[in-house]
Amino acid sequence: MAMASTYDVLLSRLQAAFDVVEVGADPVLRTSDRGDYQANGVMALAKRVGRSPREVAVEVMGHADLEGVAAVEVAGPGFLNLALSPGFLSQQLTAQRADERLGVAASPTARTVVIDYSAPNVAKEMHVGHLRSTVIGDALARMYRFAGHRVIARNHVGDWGTPFGMLIEHLLDLGEDEAVASLSIGDLDGFYRAARVKFDADDTFKERSRARVVLLQSGDVETRRLWRILVDESIAYFDLVYAKLDITLTVADIVGESYYNDMLDDVVRDLGAQGLLVESGGALCVFPPGFTNRDGEPLPLIVQKRDEGYGYAASDLAAVRDRVGTLHADEMLYVVGTPQAQHLEMVYAVARLADWLPQSVRCEHVTFGNVLGPDRKMFKTRSGETVKLVTLLDEAVERASASLAERDSDLDEDARRHLATQIARAAIKFADLSTERQHDYVFDLDRMIAFEGDTGPYLQYAHARVRSIFRRLGEQWSVGPITFGLDAPEERRLALGLLAFPEAFQMSLAALQPHRLCVYLFDLAQRFTAFYDACPVLSSEGPLRDERLALCDLTARTLNLGLSVLGIDAPEQM
Ligand code: ARG
């Protein structure tokens, strides 16, 4: 049953009251420790209408429907602190319990959201640098889907360009079987490096590679077949990594750079027809206004290189056209490393100039910080190489498995392995998602996988602990309507935490900041611990026991749903 969340109920009532003073004035409603909710919008409103905040606060409160609000206090320069009545809290908890979505309304209008994420490169290892794009992108995709939108994932893999000449020649030198063998065990970097070494050392190999690029670009059938081998083997390997990490990307979402090849002529022709192309050093470029280098000279976006080949920018322009024109995107998110910020901004600017990207389409570069090693430098292996994503995952599973084995449990080998995998993924994903996106973080497996602290496994454990209460209860617990008295302060705090799930989810999504939802879940788990320490559950009796069990049940469901929309499993038992 769909319900109006506590936040939405209060917001719409306050909105009506703020509207009386100025239509559309934002009440700026937040959960707060001073009161249960706090509206901070009075100060800005008072300033705009040139009146004193106190006076405006009094007027707003005079107009607000305050049913369910037990007390209002005007604090400081005009904060409105609202304390909710137990009856209202009880009613909202009851509605939330009856709602599968726990109060998160599905958007009445489904938008089409194209999310560009992960995007590894063919014949190159998926390394820790791809981790953040993959994990953040997938969390956002899941959140958007849950919010009721249509998500189109685009895995813009690097599957085109001049390196493919040398890669194909190297494949021929090795022989197809051997090449496939080395790629399929995931030695992508070894393959790439060997090709590179030959390219740099051997002039005839270099010549062959150049000729091969020409053949590839001209659509030579045999060359395309060889190229396909490289692409398919790499994709099979990426798929393995996605499965290990439980990422929702499928082969169907792989729409790499090469997909746009046939659209590139049109891109150039249309830019030319609009008079946007400028020849510069033999290359065709667009100079979007507002982009300059350090010396203040205009910066080009190179659409066609001197050798007539199209580059990375051209396929990104074609992708914008495809996503807007064919996929009808209402929103486009690029979950791509910060170093590509200028490239993407220039692509958007050129697409806007050419009228391919209407202002109504929200287009955002979702940036993220670096993953650092223990020395706070870029994360590398001891010998200075990039760290393979699979290695990290496997290591995390080993650790989790070992720590499970230490604890006495009745899990058989298979079950333990499965649980260890769930814990390992949670550790890695939560560490990544709970860091504010734009910040760097240190990859510290010991910390990430610990059952204590702000970690994925801690939240999984919190969830499993609540579920264990119901196992100990022994009987099937299902109970009719409950009146929540919430007499103990810990009960009340837990209840308010549970009721805040919808806005925590919505605000996290609106800001494209999964870490906000992580912060919420961690806080909820702590509220639960405080409640559980102070309020006996199984040893209490009658209606009080049912009330507390209902709080437990709703806590487990909230942790479960919250983790699942982030892409993290919540096992029943740990
Ligand atoms: N393959 C690129 C890389 O590894 C990322 C592609 C990002 N997406 C895009 N549309 N340019 O750097």
Side-chain angles (χ1 to χ4, degrees), residues 299-321:
L299 270 179
L301 185 72
I302 300 173
V303 182
Q304 189 166 1
K305 292 182 284 191
R306 207 171 36 187
D307 62 7
E308 304 246 304
Y310 297 114
Y312 188 54
S315 47
D316 263 325
L317 285 171
V320 169
R321 289 182 93 179

Side-chain angles (χ1 to χ4, degrees), residues 49 83 120 146 190 192 209 219 232 251 277 290 320 421-422 431 499 533 551:
V49 297
F146 183 66
Y192 195 97
S209 301
D232 286 346
V251 175
L277 284 181
V320 169
T421 307
Q422 290 177 307
L499 292 177
D533 287 346
L551 289 173

Side-chain angles (χ1 to χ4, degrees), residues 478-527:
S478 73
V479 73
I482 286 174
T483 304
F484 292 86
L486 308 174
D487 294 329
E490 292 83 3
E491 290 174 320
R492 198 166 191 285
R493 263 181 64 73
L494 176 59
L496 284 163
L498 292 165
L499 292 177
F501 176 64
E503 70 261 29
F505 173 82
Q506 298 289 12
M507 287 181 188
S508 179
L509 182 57
L512 307 175
Q513 293 284 12
H515 95 270
R516 293 202 190 172
L517 186 54
C518 297
V519 168
Y520 165 84
L521 291 171
F522 184 62
D523 176 66
L524 182 66
Q526 287 181 311
R527 286 178 194 235

Side-chain angles (χ1 to χ4, degrees), residues 297-373:
E297 293 154 3
L299 270 179
L301 185 72
I302 300 173
V303 182
Q304 189 166 1
K305 292 182 284 191
R306 207 171 36 187
D307 62 7
E308 304 246 304
Y310 297 114
Y312 188 54
S315 47
D316 263 325
L317 285 171
V320 169
R321 289 182 93 179
D322 189 55
R323 291 167 189 184
V324 173
T326 308
L327 303 177
H328 304 293
D330 300 306
E331 276 182 47
M332 301 198 286
L333 307 182
Y334 289 74
V335 191
V336 179
T338 310
Q340 297 194 38
Q342 189 176 60
H343 160 76
L344 288 173
E345 290 308 327
M346 289 179 79
V347 166
Y348 306 155
V350 170
R352 292 222 152 89
L353 275 180
D355 232 357
W356 299 333
L357 180 55
Q359 287 297 342
S360 59
V361 177
R362 178 187 185 195
C363 188
E364 267 192 67
H365 181 195
V366 181
T367 56
F368 45 83
N370 295 314
V371 182
L372 306 177

Side-chain angles (χ1 to χ4, degrees), residues 403-404 407-409 419 422-423 426-427 430 448-469 471-472 521-522 524-526 528-529 532 555-556 559-560 563 568-574:
S403 79
L404 284 175
R407 311 184 354 190
D408 62 330
S409 76
L419 185 55
Q422 290 177 307
I423 294 171
F430 192 83
M448 286 157 56
I449 212 154
F451 285 116
E452 304 87 40
D454 186 4
T455 70
Y458 166 75
L459 288 177
Q460 288 180 314
Y461 182 68
H463 169 264
R465 188 163 71 136
V466 187
R467 299 297 307 148
S468 77
I469 297 168
R471 276 194 302 279
R472 270 185 286 143
L521 291 171
F522 184 62
L524 182 66
Q526 287 181 311
F528 179 80
T529 302
Y532 200 56
T555 301
L559 289 172
N560 194 334
L563 288 171
I568 298 172
D569 285 341
E572 282 292 297
Q573 220 167 331
M574 276 174 81

